[in-house]
Amino acid sequence: MLTKDKIYVEAARLFQEKGYAAASMRDLAERLQLRPSSLYSHIRSKEDLLEKICFDNAHRYLQVMEDCLQRPVSAAQKVEQLLRRHIRIALEDPTSITVFNDEWRHLPQPLLERFLSLRRQYEKSFKQLLEEAMQEGAFKARPPQLVLNTLLSSLLWLHRLAAKDEKPDEDVLVGLLFEGLEG
Amino acid sequence: MLTKDKIYVEAARLFQEKGYAAASMRDLAERLQLRPSSLYSHIRSKEDLLEKICFDNAHRYLQVMEDCLQRPVSAAQKVEQLLRRHIRIALEDPTSITVFNDEWRHLPQPLLERFLSLRRQYEKSFKQLLEEAMQEGAFKARPPQLVLNTLLSSLLWLHRLAAKDEKPDEDVLVGLLFEGLEG
DNA sequence: GTCTATAACTTGATAGAC
DNA sequence: GTCTATCAAGTTATAGAC
């Protein structure tokens, strides 16, 4: 694996563990068994690391959204697929949801606006899908923004289980979201 | 209001906005129209600010838990009360859930362990309540840890609405958690 | 592409006048 | 209890030898 790629992988882990602001380039260098200055032969700045991590994941989620929208199934089934893909991404690559959700606010200013724009685009598609499913009668009619926020937030804890062997069951989790506590 | 209290209030807001690590004592002083050094006539350190915010909220949630456990109602109804109290706290004092959930990891080491102990205590009570409700047949039987994490996470977005006038409806949110998307 | 050395700056916190 | 002045340590990043 290229040193550059190793740096990005380790940076994502470090940002997840300590948060972007509390993570230092010294930390990062030490984990890679390099001197801090050597990092700069591969990357331009700490902010570049955050930028790549945030935007790679933003595009990944937008790609997932596109895939799900194209499927020839009902809106409710598209939502289910979307949730399942979210769960899988969170379990396979736990840094993704964390950085995507918690650390983007540290992006420097024109990037921050671009990032928020992608995020709004994603949320807009998701909300439309929820509204469709409600019109179909598959979902109970509720304010789509509230439902969207609740759904996305409810998956946020998944990344914490990264280290543990015991992964939560995808079907049970989807069941909980679809049927609620009362099931 | 005492200067000391103003400092704590503003610190909580600042930590919520920028995160503990990215928030500087200079930021804080400026918002209070003080010189940075003046802060230290009222508080001992930046860490003290985080400590108070985290532990005050930990005790507040434990108090809410105690209140709910003592009510002479079914386990499922206790869970509902607990969720409603969580929602109200998040809407009334949006810094609470945020700092309590995101910034505690920056507590210095013996405090961190004490904090996690309180948190485990809270989660243990909550899990027991969920298990009771499942045994009563009010809730579908699912791994309690999964349900707990999903519930607590699903409320995390509430703090973002702090500024907006439009607050989400408590009943709709509780309905979504109890009945799921399909309602 | 790694290293040593260091520049330029920000951080939390203190000393001491008023 | 606020201020000015300042410190010691930590930060990102660069220069230049090898």
Side-chain angles (χ1 to χ4, degrees):
Chain A
M1 200 187 206
L2 288 173
T3 304
K4 186 170 180 171
D5 295 330
K6 281 188 202 159
I7 292 175
Y8 279 106
V9 168
E10 200 57 44
R13 276 195 216 132
L14 185 62
F15 294 166
Q16 182 200 1
E17 261 177 54
K18 312 185 78 168
Y20 177 77
S24 77
M25 298 302 271
R26 283 175 171 77
D27 289 339
L28 181 56
E30 200 173 357
R31 289 178 181 221
L32 292 158
Q33 291 179 287
L34 282 175
R35 302 282 126 171
S37 60
S38 304
L39 296 172
Y40 293 91
S41 296
H42 305 274
I43 59 152
R44 277 191 317 175
S45 66
K46 186 184 176 187
E47 283 175 351
D48 275 6
L49 292 172
L50 183 62
E51 174 184 353
K52 179 155 170 55
I53 296 167
C54 286
F55 280 88
D56 278 3
N57 282 304
H59 292 129
R60 172 193 209 164
Y61 282 111
L62 280 168
Q63 184 60 52
V64 166
M65 173 64 76
E66 226 175 275
D67 291 350
C68 290
L69 288 179
Q70 282 176 353
R71 294 185 153 234
V73 294
S74 72
Q77 284 170 311
K78 286 177 187 168
V79 172
E80 182 181 335
Q81 264 305 307
L82 214 45
L83 292 176
R84 287 182 183 275
R85 295 282 297 265
H86 261 277
I87 293 169
R88 278 173 221 156
I89 290 175
L91 294 179
E92 284 164 19
D93 185 2
T95 59
S96 301
I97 287 191
T98 312
V99 176
F100 182 71
N101 274 282
D102 297 348
E103 305 303 330
W104 56 264
R105 63 177 161 173
H106 295 110
L107 285 168
Q109 242 311 340
L111 288 179
L112 180 60
E113 212 40 64
R114 276 186 45 221
F115 179 83
L116 289 175
S117 169
L118 292 179
R119 200 183 168 94
R120 277 190 295 267
Q121 190 185 329
Y122 183 81
E123 294 192 356
K124 189 178 168 190
S125 298
F126 209 144
K127 256 189 293 189
Q128 279 177 359
L129 215 46
L130 289 171
E131 280 171 331
E132 270 184 64
M134 290 175 194
Q135 278 156 11
E136 283 173 359
F139 291 174
K140 181 165 175 177
R142 294 189 180 96
Q145 186 71 52
L146 181 150
V147 177
L148 173 66
N149 287 333
T150 305
L151 283 180
L152 291 180
S153 295
S154 67
L155 300 177
L156 274 185
W157 60 279
L158 290 172
H159 71 82
R160 287 186 219 158
L161 304 182
K164 302 190 184 181
D165 286 330
E166 202 185 343
K167 295 194 175 183
D169 189 280
E170 180 184 316
D171 292 327
V172 174
L173 188 46
V174 171
L176 177 58
L177 297 174
F178 268 67
E179 305 161 7
L181 289 170
E182 300 172 337
Chain B
M1 200 187 207
L2 288 172
T3 304
K4 186 170 181 172
D5 295 331
K6 281 188 202 159
I7 292 175
Y8 279 105
V9 168
E10 200 56 45
R13 275 193 218 134
L14 184 62
F15 294 166
Q16 182 200 0
E17 260 178 56
K18 311 186 77 168
Y20 176 77
S24 77
M25 297 302 274
R26 283 171 172 77
D27 288 338
L28 181 57
E30 200 174 358
R31 289 177 181 222
L32 292 158
Q33 290 179 290
L34 281 175
R35 303 281 126 172
S37 60
S38 303
L39 296 172
Y40 293 91
S41 296
H42 305 275
I43 58 152
R44 277 190 316 175
S45 67
K46 187 184 178 189
E47 284 176 349
D48 275 7
L49 292 172
L50 183 62
E51 174 184 353
K52 180 158 171 52
I53 296 167
C54 285
F55 280 89
D56 278 3
N57 282 303
H59 291 130
R60 172 194 209 164
Y61 282 111
L62 279 168
Q63 183 61 53
V64 166
M65 174 63 76
E66 227 176 276
D67 291 351
C68 290
L69 288 180
Q70 281 176 354
R71 294 185 153 235
V73 294
S74 71
Q77 284 170 310
K78 285 177 188 168
V79 172
E80 182 181 335
Q81 264 304 307
L82 216 44
L83 292 177
R84 288 183 182 274
R85 294 281 299 266
H86 261 277
I87 293 169
R88 278 174 221 156
I89 290 174
L91 293 178
E92 285 164 17
D93 184 1
T95 58
S96 300
I97 286 192
T98 311
V99 177
F100 182 70
N101 273 282
D102 297 349
E103 305 302 331
W104 55 264
R105 62 176 163 177
H106 296 109
L107 285 168
Q109 246 308 348
L111 287 179
L112 180 60
E113 211 40 62
R114 275 186 45 220
F115 179 84
L116 288 175
S117 170
L118 292 178
R119 200 182 169 96
R120 278 190 295 269
Q121 189 185 330
Y122 183 81
E123 294 192 355
K124 190 178 166 188
S125 298
F126 208 145
K127 255 187 293 186
Q128 278 177 0
L129 215 47
L130 289 171
E131 280 171 331
E132 270 183 65
M134 289 174 193
Q135 277 158 10
E136 283 172 2
F139 291 174
K140 182 167 174 177
R142 293 189 180 96
Q145 185 72 51
L146 181 149
V147 177
L148 173 66
N149 287 334
T150 305
L151 283 181
L152 290 181
S153 295
S154 67
L155 300 177
L156 274 185
W157 59 279
L158 291 171
H159 73 82
R160 286 187 221 158
L161 305 181
K164 301 190 184 178
D165 286 330
E166 201 184 344
K167 295 195 175 184
D169 189 280
E170 179 184 318
D171 292 327
V172 174
L173 188 47
V174 171
L176 177 58
L177 297 174
F178 268 67
E179 305 161 9
L181 290 170
E182 300 173 337

